[in-house]
Amino acid sequence: MLERYITPYQFAITSCHIQGDLCWYEGQLSAPPTDHPDYKLCPAINAIPKTNNTETTIEREPCEPILSTSVFDELDYPIDEWTLAQAFTDRSIGEKWLNFHFDNFISRSDLVALRNAGLSHLRVPLPHWILQQRQDPRSASSNHTDWDVDEDVWIAGDRWKYFVRMCGWARELGLEVWPDIHTAPGSQNGFDNSGVQKVEHSCQPWSSNPAHVERSLRSIRDVVRGVVEEGLSDVVTGFGLLNEPFLDCDFDVYKKFMEDGLDIVRDGLGKETAVFVHDQFSASKYNDGSWWLPQQGSNLESEGLQHQRYQNTYLDSHYYQVFAEQFRALSPRQHIAFTCQGETHNDGAASCCYSDPPHNRQPSLSQGKGVQRLVSEWSCATDTLVVDMLRLVMKAIRRNGTAAFSDRIISPERMAFLNNFAQAQMVVYETANVGVSGGWFYWTAKMEGGAFAEWDFLRGIREGWIPKLPSKQNSSQAVFGTCQEIIFRTDDDMDIIHEYPPREEDPPAWQLDDDVVISHGESLLENGPWHAIARIHFHWIAVAIVACSALVVLRLCVKRGKRHSYEKIDSNGFSLHKTREEL
C-alpha cells in the first residue's frame, strides 16, 4: 500500500490523471524512465504559452488538482488509498497509475544497496486486498456490513506481480522476505496505514466485526497460498499477521486471531516459518509468563508439538520519538538518553518476553521454545511532525508542482547526530545484554523528496548517517559501544534540532521521571561505572521496504507516555522551515 508522506506525488493527482492522460512531476520516484513512451512532465503551474503569429497568450492546461474535503475537514488531495481509489471513476486508469508506482519505486539496485549495507531481511507490508477475490464477498458471510464497499473500492492493480518480482531479486541477492498484512477491513487502528484515515483511532471497527476478522484471516491464507504457488517458500521465511492493531482491540478476539493466523502460516509455509505479531503499543501486557510459551503438562508436549509451536515467533514493537511535542523538544543527547533508558521502560525493548515475570530474568526464548522480541519499525526522525509538514508538502505541489523541501540538505552536524541516534537505537533494540530480541527493521527503505529525509534508509547509506552494520557474528553494541557511551560522544547543540511545527508555547505538563534524560546523561557520571561491552551472536538485522506498501503517520506509545512524562526542557532551537508562509 502507499502512504502520502513516502510518495506524495503519487497522491497529487489531477483531472488529467483521472482521464487517463498520465503525467509525472520532476523528481517523482514512481515515474517511468524519461525515454518511456508514456513519460511526460505535468504542467508546473497549470498554464502553457500559446503562440499565434507574433502574439503569445496563456491558455489554461486542463489539469486541475483533484481535491475533496478530507476527514479533517480540509480541502485536500486524496489522503489514503481509500480516497485515492475513489478518485478514479475508471478503475483501469487507476490501476495503470498505481502500476507505474509498483514498477518503478523500488528497483533491484535498491536491494543491492541494502544488501551491501549489511541487511539480511526485508519487511514488505501488503494490503489485505492484494489478492482480491472476484466472487461476491458477501457470499462468504451473512454479516457483510461494508464488505461490498471494502472489496469494490480498493484497487489492487499488479501489486502481486511486482511483489513476486521483488522476491526473485531478493533470492538472487541472498535476502529473506517477511511480508506482513498491513491493513484490515474496517481499519484496525484508524491510521492511514490501515488503508483509510479516520478521525478517531480505534481497533473496534475491525475486532468487533467477525466478518472483518475472518476477511483478515482469508487474506493471510491467500498470500500464503500465493507464495507457495509462486515457488517462493525458500525466500519468504517469515510472516506478519496484522500491523498495529490499536490499544482498544478486543483482546480475546485478537488472541484467537493470532493463534488462527499462526496455524495458517505454519500449515502453508512450514513449521519453521517465523511469525510476528504486533504488541498493540503495549508490550508489557504480553509478559504474563504464559503467552506464546510452551505449557508444562500439555498433552501435546509428549509429541513435541507444544514446544515447537511458539519457536521462531516474535512480539513486534514500533518505537518513534517524533509524534509528540515533548519528544520533539528534546536535545540531541536527550533523544539518545531516552533511547538508552527506553530499554527498561514499562513498554520498552526489554519489557517482554520472559518465563518468570515480574522478575524478568529468564527470556522465554532462552531454551528455543517461546516468543521473542522484534522491533520492526523505527527511524531517525526526531523533530518534524509528519502530518503538519505533509500539509506544506502537498500545498506546494498544488501551487507550483514541486514538493516543499524537495532539495533539502542535511548539515554535517545533524548527520553526525543522526549517525549516533541510529547507532543507539540499533544497540537498544537488539537488547544484547538482556537476550530477548531477535532483531529489528528500519522504517523505511526509500522516501520521495527531502522533507522527511530522516526516514530514508537508502539516503542515510549514501550520506553516511546510517552506519555500516555489524556482521551477524557481532552485536551492534560490540561494534558501536554501549548506548551510554554513545550519549557522551554526541554534540548536544540545540541548533541541530529544528522542531516543526515550532512551539508557540511550552509543551503540556508531562513530568519526566527519568534523571538520565533530564540531566542529558550527566547523572550517569555521578553513579560510577555504568557500562559493559557484550558480545553475542546476533541473529539478524533488517530493513522495512516499501514495494507494495508504506507506513503509519500517527503513533505514540500511550502506556509509556503515562509513566514517563516530561518537565519543561528549555530549547533555543529554530525552525528549518523558514519558507512555510511562502508555500
Side-chain angles (χ1 to χ4, degrees):
M1 57 167 296
L2 298 88
E3 292 189 57
R4 279 208 313 180
Y5 86 112
I6 295 176
T7 57
Y9 288 126
Q10 196 69 21
F11 288 81
I13 56 175
T14 69
S15 55
C16 293
H17 292 93
I18 298 303
Q19 297 163 11
D21 185 14
L22 303 185
C23 61
W24 286 267
Y25 298 91
E26 191 74 45
Q28 185 170 355
L29 298 181
S30 303
T34 55
D35 60 355
H36 190 282
D38 288 335
Y39 178 82
K40 67 177 179 180
L41 290 175
C42 296
I45 56 173
N46 295 330
I48 56 173
K50 295 289 184 180
T51 301
N52 182 12
N53 295 328
T54 60
E55 183 180 4
T56 299
T57 60
I58 297 294
E59 294 184 4
R60 298 292 295 176
E61 181 74 15
C63 291
E64 297 295 333
I66 298 298
L67 307 173
S68 61
T69 303
S70 72
V71 294
F72 302 114
D73 200 28
E74 299 173 347
L75 194 64
D76 202 351
Y77 287 110
I79 63 173
D80 50 31
E81 279 228 42
W82 178 271
T83 51
L84 182 62
Q86 286 182 316
F88 285 95
T89 54
D90 187 328
R91 291 180 62 88
S92 64
I93 296 175
E95 289 179 355
K96 185 176 181 181
W97 177 239
L98 292 184
N99 285 341
F100 273 112
H101 168 76
F102 303 135
D103 191 16
N104 296 289
F105 186 72
I106 291 292
S107 66
R108 189 181 188 279
S109 63
D110 292 330
L111 268 61
V112 171
L114 296 172
R115 190 272 314 270
N116 291 346
L119 300 174
S120 56
H121 291 63
L122 307 173
R123 174 179 174 241
V124 185
L126 305 176
H128 70 274
W129 64 87
I130 189 170
L131 290 170
Q132 286 175 325
Q133 293 189 3
R134 297 304 179 184
Q135 68 183 36
D136 182 355
R138 287 173 289 185
S139 65
S141 171
S142 59
N143 184 1
H144 57 263
T145 304
D146 293 335
W147 273 48
D148 51 341
V149 176
D150 182 63
E151 296 297 310
D152 291 344
V153 169
W154 305 114
I155 298 178
D158 291 335
R159 296 172 208 246
W160 181 254
K161 180 180 77 173
Y162 293 111
F163 171 71
V164 171
R165 182 184 70 175
M166 193 210 63
C167 289
W169 293 338
R171 175 189 287 131
E172 295 167 4
L173 297 170
L175 297 169
E176 298 179 41
V177 175
W178 287 20
D180 79 314
I181 305 301
H182 219 60
T183 67
S187 179
Q188 76 276 26
N189 53 34
F191 302 149
D192 68 334
N193 68 353
S194 71
V196 55
Q197 176 74 60
K198 298 187 176 183
V199 175
E200 299 293 333
H201 303 310
S202 175
C203 182
Q204 285 299 305
W206 176 76
S207 66
S208 65
N209 189 324
H212 288 168
V213 176
E214 177 57 35
R215 175 67 181 91
S216 290
L217 291 171
R218 186 164 55 119
S219 69
I220 296 171
R221 189 175 294 109
D222 290 344
V223 171
V224 167
R225 184 184 301 117
V227 166
V228 173
E229 291 175 352
E230 297 286 353
L232 299 174
S233 300
D234 62 317
V235 66
V236 176
T237 60
F239 202 102
L241 302 184
L242 182 63
N243 180 67
E244 294 185 341
F246 204 61
L247 287 158
D248 64 344
C249 258
D250 185 308
F251 197 40
D252 290 335
V253 170
Y254 185 48
K255 285 194 293 186
K256 184 177 187 306
F257 168 80
M258 290 188 286
E259 294 287 349
D260 292 343
L262 177 63
D263 287 335
I264 293 170
V265 173
R266 294 282 177 79
D267 289 346
L269 298 179
K271 302 300 181 183
E272 301 301 316
T273 305
V275 174
F276 60 102
V277 294
H278 192 260
D279 66 1
Q280 300 178 265
F281 309 103
S282 181
S284 60
K285 71 186 287 186
Y286 292 86
N287 192 42
D288 62 3
S290 64
W291 180 77
W292 277 25
L293 287 169
Q295 301 302 305
Q296 298 298 321
S298 167
N299 58 8
L300 296 177
E301 190 171 355
S302 60
E303 305 174 22
L305 297 179
Q306 182 63 234
H307 281 3
Q308 294 175 9
R309 179 169 180 79
Y310 300 119
Q311 290 179 359
N312 208 18
T313 59
Y314 301 86
L315 180 66
D316 175 25
S317 296
H318 301 168
Y319 295 127
Y320 295 105
Q321 292 186 30
V322 72
F323 292 107
E325 187 171 22
Q326 291 84 356
F327 285 125
R328 297 193 301 276
L330 296 178
S331 76
R333 278 192 181 180
Q334 285 179 311
H335 275 293
I336 293 175
F338 189 89
T339 299
C340 300
Q341 295 302 99
E343 180 172 331
T344 56
H345 284 176
N346 196 34
D347 284 305
S351 62
C352 188
C353 298
Y354 303 88
S355 59
D356 63 337
H359 306 294
N360 293 352
R361 300 189 187 100
Q362 188 69 36
S364 57
L365 63 87
S366 60
Q367 297 178 347
K369 298 178 180 178
V371 65
Q372 53 190 303
R373 295 302 306 285
L374 169 70
V375 178
S376 79
E377 287 191 21
W378 62 275
S379 81
C380 287
T382 59
D383 51 15
T384 299
L385 184 60
V386 170
V387 66
D388 283 42
M389 175 53 62
L390 189 55
R391 290 189 178 98
L392 298 188
V393 169
M394 302 309 294
K395 187 176 180 181
I397 297 174
R398 178 180 171 185
R399 289 192 171 182
N400 57 43
T402 302
F405 311 109
S406 59
D407 57 353
R408 175 176 164 232
I409 296 174
I410 301 176
S411 71
E413 294 78 13
R414 186 172 174 90
M415 284 196 283
F417 161 62
L418 295 178
N419 184 272
N420 286 340
F421 190 39
Q423 291 182 21
Q425 292 186 86
M426 291 176 187
V427 167
V428 167
Y429 301 152
E430 292 174 12
T431 61
N433 290 334
V434 182
V436 297
S437 177
W440 51 258
F441 291 84
Y442 189 93
W443 187 274
T444 185
K446 194 173 187 176
M447 299 292 292
E448 194 169 66
F452 305 109
E454 290 81 0
W455 298 82
D456 191 330
F457 193 89
L458 285 167
R459 176 168 175 170
I461 293 171
R462 293 192 303 270
E463 296 182 345
W465 47 267
I466 290 291
K468 177 71 175 179
L469 304 181
S471 67
K472 294 181 181 180
Q473 287 70 41
N474 290 303
S475 69
S476 289
Q477 179 170 294
V479 175
F480 303 139
T482 66
C483 194
Q484 291 80 8
E485 288 174 318
I486 297 171
I487 293 175
F488 293 108
R489 64 172 184 253
T490 299
D491 184 354
D492 207 27
D493 185 354
M494 278 302 295
D495 284 350
I496 293 171
I497 301 297
H498 311 297
E499 189 178 352
Y500 187 83
R503 278 186 292 148
E504 298 179 357
E505 56 186 28
D506 293 333
W510 189 15
Q511 299 301 314
L512 179 65
D513 62 359
D514 194 311
D515 290 342
V516 176
V517 182
I518 292 174
S519 68
H520 301 239
E522 294 298 321
S523 65
L524 292 170
L525 302 178
E526 303 170 2
N527 298 324
W530 43 261
H531 68 268
I533 300 295
R535 290 182 176 274
I536 63 169
H537 174 82
F538 193 66
H539 303 296
W540 46 263
I541 45 185
V543 68
I545 187 171
V546 191
C548 296
S549 180
L551 136 106
V552 98
V553 294
L554 291 172
R555 175 161 19 237
L556 177 60
C557 190
V558 175
K559 292 287 188 181
R560 183 182 355 161
K562 288 180 179 177
R563 180 171 184 263
H564 298 282
S565 50
Y566 291 81
E567 69 177 15
K568 179 182 175 231
I569 299 171
D570 192 25
S571 169
N572 295 316
F574 58 88
S575 173
L576 172 69
H577 316 293
K578 297 179 179 177
T579 60
R580 62 188 183 277
E581 294 85 4
E582 301 171 7
L583 299 174

